[in-house]
Amino acid sequence: MEKLKKMVAREALKYIEDGMIVGLGTGSTTAHFIQLLGKLVMEEELEIYGIPTSYQAKLLALESGIPIIDLDEADAIDVAIDGADEVDPDLNLIKGRGAALTMEKIIDYRAGTFIVLVDESKLVDYLGQKMPVPIEVIPAAWRVIKEELEVFNATAELRIAKNKDGPVVTENGNFILDAKFERIEDPLDIEIELNNIPGVVENGIFADIADIVLVGTKEGVKKLER
Ligand code: 5RP
């Protein structure tokens, strides 16, 4: 699996040009990309700036020698490279296993080209087939939002931290509800409706945003385009 992740990460380098501002995604696949990009920047003395979607991406970028800037310092983001947890046949995504979905969506949405890196295990027939939808919520509202999600026939669980007692707290100081849907028929509608619930900061459905999905398979990299 690591081999497939590295293979797509290497392929993504082909979309990078000197002078670009690059959105840096979160997760294990994007981590390979950030390291490879760092090498390229150093070797070819490129003038590239990264905008990280999380502390993970920021630390890795600094370690890899990629100069970083804040989102509010950039006039435009040329390209964003990010991972995903599920990809449906229309290239709608579920993201947020790493709890970085809010910043990821802001940066991926703003990018001139948004490129997704996955291995073939992430391809699904419909969103919600394997993974819950992570929803970032204001802490005080987690319980009312969990109840509200029953309207969608979704069962939500508060995400509990592994190396800390109590819930996961996002980089924005919020909680995450992982909502298991039976089947998401219309991702764009559900994405909008979830964000309409008071107290929801953002949700992990990324409908109609991905431009290119690079899929790592045993036969090589497959390119899917919208
Ligand atoms: C983090 C994410 C990740 O991009 C997504 O979970 C994929 O991660 P990985 O490449 O490790 O499978 O959305 O919030």
Side-chain angles (χ1 to χ4, degrees):
M1 210 54 102
E2 280 314 299
K3 226 170 130 186
L4 299 188
K5 290 179 185 183
K6 217 166 174 174
M7 187 165 75
V8 279
R10 187 163 297 116
E11 185 70 17
L13 286 181
K14 295 184 182 162
Y15 297 84
I16 305 299
E17 289 168 22
D18 197 12
M20 277 187 164
I21 295 184
V22 183
L24 303 173
T26 301
S28 56
T29 318
T30 323
H32 286 299
F33 169 76
I34 296 173
Q35 284 166 331
L36 290 170
L37 180 64
K39 258 194 202 154
L40 189 75
V41 166
M42 305 274 231
E43 280 167 14
E44 304 202 3
E45 296 180 8
L46 302 180
E47 199 182 327
I48 298 261
Y49 290 92
I51 303 187
T53 55
S54 63
Y55 289 133
Q56 183 213 27
K58 181 177 179 175
L59 296 179
L60 208 51
L62 290 174
E63 212 178 279
S64 309
I66 304 170
I68 53 170
I69 54 171
D70 286 334
L71 180 60
D72 55 6
E73 290 176 288
D75 293 332
I77 304 169
D78 296 294
V79 62
I81 309 286
D82 208 343
D85 303 311
E86 282 191 353
V87 180
D88 81 4
D90 296 320
L91 308 193
N92 300 306
L93 318 172
I94 289 181
K95 286 184 50 56
R97 182 203 45 78
L101 59 134
T102 299
M103 209 54 192
E104 288 176 326
K105 196 179 280 189
I106 296 168
I107 290 171
D108 297 344
Y109 178 83
R110 288 291 300 170
T113 308
F114 172 30
I115 302 174
V116 182
L117 309 183
V118 291
D119 62 73
E120 55 194 341
S121 70
K122 308 285 184 70
L123 300 182
V124 292
D125 300 327
Y126 57 87
L127 292 189
Q129 192 173 351
K130 296 179 183 170
M131 298 296 289
V133 177
I135 304 173
E136 181 163 355
V137 301
I138 298 292
W142 78 269
R143 205 164 145 199
V144 287
I145 295 170
K146 179 178 156 82
E147 281 166 21
E148 198 72 36
L149 288 166
E150 289 167 15
V151 175
F152 296 83
N153 280 329
T155 325
E157 293 300 330
L158 186 63
R159 193 181 295 183
I160 300 301
K162 295 250 163 65
N163 291 313
K164 163 195 172 288
D165 292 339
V168 166
V169 180
T170 71
E171 290 172 19
N172 311 306
N174 299 314
F175 289 174
I176 295 283
L177 284 170
D178 285 307
K180 190 79 192 97
F181 286 75
E182 275 166 19
R183 184 186 177 114
I184 299 171
E185 298 280 4
D186 194 334
L188 187 58
D189 284 353
I190 301 291
E191 179 180 4
I192 294 167
E193 282 173 36
L194 289 176
N195 279 359
N196 272 344
I197 303 172
V200 168
V201 176
E202 191 48 85
N203 72 83
I205 299 178
F206 286 47
D208 287 355
I209 325 183
D211 297 300
I212 295 171
V213 178
L214 299 176
V215 188
T217 76
K218 284 174 209 89
E219 291 76 43
V221 176
K222 224 164 65 182
K223 178 181 175 184
L224 309 175
E225 256 174 305
R226 213 152 53 87

